Amino acid sequence: MLGHWALRGFGLFAVRNRKTGTFVGSVGLIEPEGWPEPEATWTIATEHQGKGYAREAASAVLAHTFDTVRSSRVVSYIPPDNAASRRVASAIGMARSGEVAVFGDTAERWVTVRGDGCPLQENNPAP
């Protein structure tokens, strides 16, 4: 992801504990070479999971994407076995929209759009 900000105008942000400053993970918008489209992504260290960091930070990424990057749509590609990320995606207003192959692996495609228009094919809440 080096150079992502310079090349694309967006990238990853560090997530830190507000009280201690401890690094807990990263979130952001990425589009590596060969990626289907820009993706909102979040990764939180195991010992910090389940504390709301991913939901809060991913929600901020959506706002940043809509307001600063000026995209009207955000997607996330989530491995089918990642229930925690599905819950985060659902909590921030994303809905499952089928599956996609990403570098040979199958991922669930989750989408949200700014405003009233919604191109979603299915709206399955996360388990």
Side-chain angles (χ1 to χ4, degrees), residues 2-110:
L2 289 175
H4 221 78
W5 283 98
L7 294 172
R8 306 231 191 259
F10 53 80
L12 297 175
F13 296 93
V15 179
R16 297 191 177 276
N17 178 298
R18 285 187 180 141
K19 292 180 183 176
T20 67
T22 303
F23 176 81
V24 298
S26 62
V27 300
L29 188 65
I30 63 168
E31 187 180 10
E33 191 65 37
W35 219 240
E37 58 194 316
E39 175 189 11
T41 184
W42 47 87
T43 303
I44 303 297
T46 304
E47 63 270 23
H48 299 289
Q49 292 177 4
K51 299 176 183 176
Y53 289 111
R55 185 179 59 245
E56 181 180 350
S59 182
V61 166
L62 291 186
H64 173 75
T65 302
F66 293 144
D67 298 338
T68 304
V69 178
R70 306 305 254 178
S71 177
S72 62
R73 182 174 103 121
V74 179
V75 302
S76 287
Y77 303 113
I78 301 174
D81 62 345
N82 191 335
S85 282
R86 287 197 314 273
R87 286 191 298 273
V88 170
S90 181
I92 64 172
M94 300 182 101
R96 190 174 181 278
S97 179
E99 294 184 343
V100 63
V102 180
F103 294 124
D105 291 324
T106 299
E108 294 178 354
R109 185 168 178 259
W110 287 71

